[in-house]
Amino acid sequence: MRDEKNLNTIPVGPLALIPLLGCSELGGKVDAYLADWRRERENEHKTSITFSGYQKESYIIGTSVPRFGSGEAKGVLKESVRGDDVFIMVDVCNYSLTYSLCGQVNHMSPDDHFQNLKRVIAAIGGKARRINVIMPFLYESRQHKRTGRESLDCALALQELSHMGVSNIITFDAHDPRVQNAIPLRGFETVQPTYQFIKYLLKAEPDLCIDGDHMMVISPDEGAMGRVVYFANVLGLDVGMFYKRRDYTKIVNGRNPIVAHEFLGASVEGKDVVIVDDMVSSGESMLDVAKELKRRKARKVFICATFGLFTNGLSKIDEYYGNGLIDRVLTTNLIYQTPELLARPYYTSVDMSKYIALLIDSLNHDATISDLLNPTSRINALLERHKKEIAEKENTEKFEKSGK
C-alpha cells in the first residue's frame, strides 16, 4: 500500500496533525505511522529546504479548548502552524468527554465537537498553507435531505467549513455522499472501509469459505444497497435485501415505526451471511434482520458497520449473541468505543489508523489517492492469500488423516 511514488514530489507544506480532544487515541496511532514511514523513507532531497521539517518524532500540534464558567470556550494553538499543511481530526461522536456548565457536568454532543473544530480553525487564523479536515463520522450527515419544513444541517456545516478556508474534507462512509453538492468547489472524499472489513473478518473467522455456495451479503434496507453491491461484487457473492414495512399513520421518536422486515433474494439456508451498513445506531434494525436471517436457517450472521453508535447500550446485542442469533459484530475505531464494547467476545474492532495515515501522507505530497479509494486490487490479493491458506490447511488435514 505504501507506494514509493510519493518520494519525489514536494510536500504542499510541513505536515501538521491536530487530533482534537476526543480523537487523541486514533490521532496518536496515525502520528506513529507517519513518523515511522518518514524516518525510514529514503529520499535524496530530504535534506533540502523544500523538505524542511519532513522528518520528525511527532507531527502533532498541541491545542486546547479551555472553557469559561458559563460554558463558553475558545480555541488555543500551542505552537505556530504558519505555512503548514494542517490535518485536523475530529470525532463528533465521542460523548465520553465532559465539561462544566455553571457547575453542572455536561457530556459533549456532536454540536460541541463541531464548535471546537471551528474554534481551532479560527485560532489558525489563515496562517496555514492549507487546512484539511478528517471527520470520519460526517457531522449531521443523517439530516442530508429535506422532506418538509426542516433544516439542512449537513449542507450548512459543510458550507461553513468551506467559508472558513478548509480545502479538503475527508469522511468515511457518508450517509449520503450527495451532500458534497453543497460545496462543489472544495475537495470532498467519502472513503469506504471495505478492504479493512474483509481483512478483519478473515482474521477473526479464518475458516470462512468465500464463494457463492457458502456466503451472501445482505443489505438491511434499500439505502445500503450501493455499499452492499460493491462489497458483494469484489467477493463474487450474491446479494439479498430487506426492506422496511412502516406504519405511516404513526410517528414514534421522530420516525414511522417499522412493522416488519421483508426479504428479497435467494435462499440463505446453510450460508454465512454478512450484513453491511454505514452505522449501527440503536441496533434494532440490524438485530431484527439478523433474527429473520436465522429464521431462514442462515449458518452464521456477521454484522459489519462503519460506525458503532450503540445508542441503546449493548444488552440487546448480548442477548442476541447468547441466543445464537448473531455471531460477530465488526465496527471501526473511527469513533469512540466504550471499554465495555471492546471487551465483548463477539466484537471485533477494525483499526483504520494506517489507512488514515496513508491518506494524509499522499495528500501532503499532493499525490493521487485513487488507488487508496479503490481497494479492489488489494481485496483480490487478500482473497488469493486466504484461498491458499484454506487449501494448505485442507491438504495438511488430509495428510494427517492418511498418516493415521
Side-chain angles (χ1 to χ4, degrees):
M1 283 174 71
R2 271 198 294 144
D3 197 324
E4 293 301 310
K5 68 188 175 187
N6 280 351
L7 289 179
N8 296 316
T9 56
I10 297 172
V12 172
L15 178 59
L17 186 63
I18 301 180
L20 296 187
L21 195 64
C23 206
S24 53
E25 185 178 347
L26 180 61
K29 289 181 179 180
V30 170
D31 182 52
Y33 276 117
L34 291 167
D36 285 347
W37 295 342
R38 295 192 170 194
R39 184 169 53 249
E40 296 167 2
R41 185 171 289 163
E42 294 296 329
N43 190 312
E44 58 180 325
H45 306 294
K46 202 155 60 169
T47 56
S48 72
I49 193 168
T50 53
F51 277 72
S52 175
Y54 188 76
Q55 187 175 313
K56 291 182 179 180
E57 289 300 311
S58 174
Y59 298 92
I60 292 178
I61 301 294
T63 60
S64 65
V65 185
R67 287 187 181 268
F68 302 100
S70 60
E72 297 164 299
K74 62 180 178 181
V76 178
L77 289 181
K78 297 183 179 178
E79 54 189 289
S80 173
V81 293
R82 185 180 292 275
D84 288 357
D85 189 19
V86 177
F87 289 82
I88 306 174
M89 298 176 62
V90 57
D91 174 10
V92 299
C93 294
N94 193 334
Y95 61 88
S96 70
L97 303 175
T98 60
Y99 63 92
S100 177
L101 173 60
C102 298
Q104 303 295 316
V105 175
N106 262 25
H107 283 266
M108 286 186 70
S109 70
D111 292 344
D112 292 312
H113 286 291
F114 187 67
Q115 284 298 117
N116 282 356
L117 169 63
K118 292 192 293 181
R119 289 176 177 123
V120 169
I121 294 171
I124 292 171
K127 305 300 191 299
R129 177 72 53 82
R130 185 175 68 175
I131 298 175
N132 312 271
V133 170
I134 299 175
M135 186 188 292
F137 187 97
L138 187 61
Y139 174 69
E140 289 288 3
S141 57
R142 299 176 79 176
Q143 182 49 28
H144 61 283
K145 62 182 178 180
R146 179 177 280 154
T147 55
R149 298 183 189 93
E150 55 191 35
S151 57
L152 289 170
D153 296 65
C154 189
L156 283 172
L158 292 175
Q159 288 185 353
E160 200 168 0
L161 292 178
S162 176
H163 294 153
M164 294 186 78
V166 173
S167 299
N168 295 302
I169 296 171
I170 299 167
T171 189
F172 284 77
D173 212 348
H175 196 65
D176 188 340
R178 289 174 293 184
V179 294
Q180 66 187 284
N181 292 340
I183 49 167
L185 301 181
R186 297 291 182 175
F188 182 98
E189 301 293 348
T190 176
V191 187
Q192 298 290 336
T194 309
Y195 169 76
Q196 285 77 12
F197 274 133
I198 296 169
K199 177 181 174 182
Y200 278 85
L201 180 60
L202 293 179
K203 193 181 290 186
E205 304 282 341
D207 296 327
L208 281 182
C209 187
I210 300 180
D211 60 47
D213 295 327
H214 297 89
M215 186 178 272
M216 276 182 73
V217 185
I218 304 296
S219 175
D221 54 41
E222 57 275 21
M225 274 303 288
R227 61 180 64 88
V228 167
V229 167
Y230 177 75
F231 202 104
N233 281 343
V234 293
L235 293 179
L237 305 177
D238 289 333
V239 171
M241 186 192 89
F242 282 85
Y243 68 91
K244 298 168 183 173
R245 198 146 50 83
R246 294 180 181 272
D247 183 354
Y248 287 99
T249 64
K250 300 177 185 175
I251 295 178
V252 179
N253 294 329
R255 61 183 182 178
N256 303 107
I258 298 167
V259 176
H261 288 85
E262 306 290 353
F263 182 67
L264 300 172
S267 172
V268 298
E269 186 172 350
K271 294 181 180 179
D272 299 321
V273 293
V274 184
I275 308 171
V276 180
D277 208 353
D278 60 334
M279 70 178 77
V280 177
S281 183
S282 65
E284 289 178 9
S285 294
M286 282 284 202
L287 294 176
D288 287 344
V289 166
K291 190 174 183 179
E292 285 295 318
L293 289 168
K294 282 289 187 178
R295 191 172 67 79
R296 289 172 166 80
K297 300 181 180 178
R299 193 175 83 95
K300 285 187 174 183
V301 175
F302 308 113
I303 295 173
C304 291
T306 308
F307 305 109
L309 301 175
F310 304 108
T311 55
N312 286 1
L314 300 172
S315 57
K316 196 75 174 174
I317 301 172
D318 293 341
E319 179 189 329
Y320 272 56
Y321 174 71
N323 293 335
L325 297 175
I326 60 170
D327 295 271
R328 189 163 296 279
V329 176
L330 298 90
T331 68
T332 69
N333 65 337
L334 292 169
I335 62 170
Y336 173 67
Q337 298 162 300
T338 64
E340 293 77 20
L341 175 65
L342 293 170
R344 291 299 195 267
Y346 53 79
Y347 180 70
T348 297
S349 175
V350 177
D351 184 14
M352 299 296 294
S353 56
K354 186 177 182 182
Y355 195 19
I356 294 173
L358 285 162
L359 290 167
I360 291 174
D361 201 20
S362 298
L363 288 171
N364 180 234
H365 279 269
D366 241 359
T368 179
I369 58 171
S370 299
D371 54 333
L372 295 174
L373 298 177
N374 184 8
T376 307
S377 58
R378 282 179 283 135
I379 291 171
N380 290 337
L382 180 66
L383 293 176
E384 283 298 316
R385 288 198 301 273
H386 178 69
K387 287 176 183 176
K388 284 181 182 178
E389 288 169 5
I390 292 286
E392 287 172 4
K393 187 176 180 181
E394 288 176 352
N395 289 336
T396 302
E397 288 174 354
K398 286 178 184 177
F399 178 77
E400 288 174 353
K401 286 180 181 178
S402 62
K404 291 177 183 178

